């Protein structure tokens, strides 16, 4: 979190600090640890790539205003005065202006500083615009709205009137207008953040897979949570349940099992939309997973609902997030037969340039068609709903002349819900990379992952060196091949659980 200390004891907030509080999820402990000087892990390869792309996105927009005034090029002590003078003079786009003001939060005076990317002259006053790589602005990007709101509040405090407009220059190139709420939401969030930053005691924050994923302090918090057997480790425990358990003084899995049976946990009311709803049918699974975690072993629930097949095709896609790519592009369509009809790894690979996306789709259809021609209607086994969703998206986007995509859809077998229903696991999630650790499968590419894959693909799209591009794509294909092998390892493991269950007296 960027913190500025000026004028002695005054605490300062920057407009960009909302990101450090709200991403990957709202967490006061993250603020407290930064305030204590605890070392933070460096950003991931994807995060570094996104920061660089964000700067390039901003620079491209800046090129539209060749007569701009670059405030950041001035000495810091001169920046605020230069910004005020430039607004008074009018007529020029101000780049990286500096706005400052003070506010009283929780009985304490704090300083607030902001550096809007662009201040654009209008007929009366200035509009404020910030460049963001995000293609969409919504609940997941609340930090963007709050940052722009602070810019508006700082402008109003400095010049006596709100800005003409608050805008986001989105990753799609669109200019999105945001409402200015007067600064109340942003200042209230700063007040929350101030309490955490100045807390004498470590804040009581629970861990969670999605909450902690990508956080630079995960290596600090997660081992401690595992040692304590924190309730946040449960794969089926949503945020509302963990908050409720902590409010009842239940912080660990042994305490959960000691205090609740199935009926008691099922009756616990949790926040839901405008009211509440009980934990209900989830209670039995939550308690069973808690026991699996404490005992350190998988607990079979029922035989896995797997069809009787001799040959199975493992199926896995590598694609760009919608916030990073205009088309939500799938760049690897990986497939490989295992079992009696085991065969070579096959992949539809997207090309580069305008026609590359369609080329990847058509390549996938050819490879899938060849598998059907050789093996008949074999199951295409995947993990979670991503593959089905993207198949339907591409079918609508480009069509399915020979009916191959429809045939793949009809043969899809999602292994994730089967696993969830079959076994309680001593893990924090039912992700493939977690479940595969129970099977004995060991990856050779241990430092790779989905974010790595996206970062490397972005790198491949940006280079004109064909040899380098081919080498990068080979690395991504090798990673995808290991995902297929891991899926097969989990399938074999599940079949073994079913056989063991059948053999019980």
């Amino acid at each position: 979190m960027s913190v500025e200390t000026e004028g002695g004891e005054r605490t300062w907030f920057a407009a960009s600090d909302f990101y450090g509080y709200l991403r990957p999820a709202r967490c006061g402990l993250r603020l407290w640890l930064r305030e204590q000087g605890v070392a933070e892990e460096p950003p991931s390869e994807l995060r570094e790539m996104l920061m660089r792309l964000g700067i390039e996105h901003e620079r491209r927009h800046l090129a539209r205003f060749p007569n701009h005034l670059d405030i950041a090029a001035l000495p810091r002590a001169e920046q605020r005065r230069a910004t005020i003078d430039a607004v008074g003079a009018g007529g020029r786009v101000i780049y990286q202006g500096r706005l400052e003001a003070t506010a009283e939060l929780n009985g304490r005076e704090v300083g607030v500083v902001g550096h809007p990317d662009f201040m654009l002259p209008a007929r009366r006053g200035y509009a404020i615009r910030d460049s963001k790589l995000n293609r969409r602005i919504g609940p997941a990007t609340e930090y963007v709205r709050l940052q722009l709101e602070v810019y508006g509040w700082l402008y109003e405090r400095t010049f006596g009137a709100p800005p003409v407009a608050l805008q986001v220059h989105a990753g799609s190139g669109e200019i999105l207008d945001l409402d200015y709420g007067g600064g109340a939401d942003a200042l209230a969030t700063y007040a929350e953040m101030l309490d955490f930053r100045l807390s004498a005691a470590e804040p009581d924050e629970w861990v969670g897979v999605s909450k902690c994923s990508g956080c630079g302090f995960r290596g600090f918090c997660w081992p401690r949570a595992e040692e304590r057997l924190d309730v946040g480790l449960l794969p089926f425990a949503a945020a509302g349940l963990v908050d409720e358990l902590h409010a009842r003084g239940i912080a660990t899995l042994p305490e959960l099992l000691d205090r609740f049976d199935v009926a008691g946990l099922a009756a616990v009311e949790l926040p839901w939309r405008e009211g509440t709803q009980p934990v209900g049918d989830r209670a039995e699974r939550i308690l069973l997973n808690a026991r699996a975690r404490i005992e350190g072993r998988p607990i079979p629930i029922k035989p896995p609902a797997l069809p009787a097949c001799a040959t199975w095709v493992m199926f896995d896609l590598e694609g760009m997030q919608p916030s990073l790519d205009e088309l939500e592009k799938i760049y690897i369509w990986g497939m490989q037969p295992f079992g009696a009809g085991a065969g070579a790894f096959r992949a539809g690979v997207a090309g580069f340039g305008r026609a590359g996306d369609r080329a990847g789709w058509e390549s996938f259809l050819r490879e899938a068609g060849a598998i059907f021609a050789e093996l008949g209607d074999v199951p295409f086994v995947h993990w979670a709903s991503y593959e089905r969703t993207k198949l339907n998206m591409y079918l609508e986007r480009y069509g399915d002349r020979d009916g191959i995509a429809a045939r793949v859809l009809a043969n899809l077998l999602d292994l994730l819900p089967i696993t969830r229903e079959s076994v309680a696991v001593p893990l924090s999630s039912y992700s493939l990379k977690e479940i595969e650790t129970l099977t004995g499968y060991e990856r050779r590419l241990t430092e790779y992952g989905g974010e790595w894959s996206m970062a490397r693909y972005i790198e491949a799209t940006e280079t004109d060196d064909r040899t380098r591009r081919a080498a990068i794509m080979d690395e991504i294909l090798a990673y995808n091949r290991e995902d297929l092998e891991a899926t097969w390892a989990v399938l074999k493991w599940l079949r073994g659980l079913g056989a063991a269950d059948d053999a019980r007296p």
Side-chain angles (χ1 to χ4, degrees):
M1 177 172 64
S2 52
V3 178
E4 302 193 12
T5 304
E6 301 182 1
E9 296 299 319
R10 180 178 293 164
T11 300
W12 282 77
F13 284 100
S16 57
D17 286 344
F18 295 113
Y19 183 91
Y21 179 42
L22 299 175
R23 298 292 297 170
R26 185 183 297 258
C27 181
L29 179 57
R30 190 183 307 122
L31 301 184
W32 187 84
L33 290 172
R34 289 197 180 110
E35 199 74 13
Q36 305 307 307
V38 176
E40 193 168 355
E41 295 172 7
S44 67
E45 190 173 350
L46 178 62
R47 177 68 188 145
E48 288 185 333
M49 180 73 72
L50 294 182
M51 288 189 284
R52 180 177 64 76
L53 292 176
I55 292 171
E56 293 174 1
H57 174 62
E58 176 185 312
R59 289 291 182 181
R60 286 194 296 271
H61 197 56
L62 180 64
R64 295 178 55 184
F65 312 110
N67 192 38
H68 68 271
L69 175 62
D70 187 353
I71 297 294
L74 301 175
R76 177 175 159 179
E78 301 175 13
Q79 291 175 0
R80 180 174 180 270
R81 184 73 255 169
T83 302
I84 293 173
D85 291 345
V87 169
R92 293 182 70 182
V93 171
I94 302 168
Y95 178 63
Q96 291 289 318
R98 184 181 179 92
L99 301 174
E100 295 178 18
T102 61
E104 186 172 307
L105 302 177
N106 306 337
R108 183 185 182 99
E109 186 178 75
V110 303
V112 180
V113 61
H115 298 270
D117 290 337
F118 304 96
M119 298 174 67
L120 307 169
R123 189 170 298 175
R124 295 180 181 178
Y126 270 70
I128 291 177
R129 181 181 298 171
D130 231 38
S131 283
K132 299 294 182 186
L133 201 56
N134 310 82
R135 305 184 70 84
R136 302 167 187 170
I137 305 299
T141 53
E142 177 70 357
Y143 62 92
V144 174
R145 184 185 70 82
L146 293 174
Q147 183 174 347
L148 268 292
E149 186 174 286
V150 162
Y151 289 151
W153 177 81
L154 288 168
Y155 183 95
E156 186 173 14
R157 289 291 298 271
T158 303
F159 301 106
V164 172
L166 292 178
Q167 299 176 330
V168 174
H169 167 231
S172 61
E174 297 176 279
I175 305 299
L176 308 176
D177 288 296
L178 302 183
D179 293 331
Y180 171 49
D185 287 350
L187 292 176
T189 306
Y190 275 150
E192 291 176 19
M193 296 166 67
L194 183 65
D195 280 345
F196 287 121
R197 285 178 57 185
L198 301 184
S199 174
E202 180 179 325
D204 179 23
E205 286 277 5
W206 52 272
V207 300
V209 172
S210 59
K211 178 181 179 180
C212 301
S213 177
C215 176
F217 294 107
R218 191 182 189 280
F220 176 88
C221 301
W222 203 263
R224 299 192 309 162
E226 291 183 319
E227 185 177 349
R228 293 191 308 263
L229 290 174
D230 196 298
V231 289
L233 298 174
L234 286 169
F236 289 106
L241 174 60
V242 177
D243 287 339
E244 179 64 24
L245 292 175
H246 274 252
R248 295 179 182 223
I250 301 171
T252 68
L253 299 179
E255 290 170 346
L256 173 63
L257 292 179
D258 184 58
R259 291 273 298 273
F260 283 110
D261 59 13
V262 173
L265 184 60
V268 171
E269 294 284 337
L270 302 177
W272 176 253
R273 295 180 180 174
E274 301 302 319
T276 63
Q277 71 170 8
V279 174
D281 293 341
R282 291 174 294 160
E284 185 173 7
R285 286 306 310 276
I286 290 169
L287 294 177
L288 197 57
N289 273 89
R291 186 158 68 88
R293 184 76 189 220
I294 291 171
E295 296 177 4
R297 66 181 183 90
I299 300 177
I301 300 170
K302 63 180 182 179
L306 295 169
C309 298
T311 302
W312 317 69
V313 177
M314 303 301 113
F315 183 44
D316 183 70
L317 309 183
E318 305 292 334
M320 297 299 295
Q321 297 173 356
S323 60
L324 306 181
D325 188 86
E326 184 177 357
L327 286 176
E328 299 186 45
K329 184 178 184 178
I330 301 299
Y331 49 91
I332 300 290
W333 305 77
M335 304 157 272
Q336 185 169 357
F338 289 86
F345 169 72
R346 300 170 177 262
V349 181
F352 297 89
R354 290 187 176 183
D357 188 53
R358 178 185 284 273
W361 171 246
E362 292 176 351
S363 174
F364 155 67
L365 294 179
R366 286 194 300 273
E367 296 292 350
I371 288 175
F372 282 131
E374 181 181 343
L375 301 174
D377 280 316
V378 288
F380 272 62
V381 182
H382 61 103
W383 195 267
S385 60
Y386 186 75
E387 280 70 21
R388 181 177 293 277
T389 299
K390 298 311 174 186
L391 266 173
N392 279 310
M393 183 181 76
Y394 269 77
L395 197 153
E396 184 174 342
R397 182 181 293 174
Y398 295 126
D400 184 25
R401 183 177 60 251
D402 299 321
I404 298 298
R407 197 171 173 186
V408 173
L409 279 167
N411 285 275
L412 284 181
L413 180 67
D414 188 348
L415 214 52
L416 172 58
I418 295 172
T419 306
R420 282 175 172 166
E421 294 166 7
S422 303
V423 58
V425 296
L427 303 167
S428 298
S429 85
Y430 278 78
S431 71
L432 177 61
K433 287 183 175 58
E434 288 277 316
I435 299 296
E436 70 188 46
T437 63
L438 301 173
T439 71
Y441 178 73
E442 294 185 7
R443 290 180 181 257
R444 296 173 294 280
L445 309 176
T446 55
E447 300 301 319
Y448 297 6
E451 288 197 352
W452 169 88
S453 172
M454 285 185 280
R456 295 294 279 158
Y457 183 72
I458 293 171
E459 187 177 344
T461 63
E462 292 183 329
T463 183
D464 293 325
D465 185 332
R466 293 188 177 184
T467 301
R468 177 166 175 74
R469 177 181 286 173
I472 292 171
M473 294 306 295
D474 283 344
E475 290 179 15
I476 299 174
L477 287 165
Y479 164 69
N480 182 261
R481 187 182 300 117
E482 287 202 345
D483 269 351
L484 300 180
E485 293 173 356
T487 307
W488 171 240
V490 173
L491 176 57
K492 290 192 296 180
W493 177 73
L494 286 173
R495 293 171 72 188
L497 287 180
D501 189 83
D502 291 341
R504 287 179 193 159

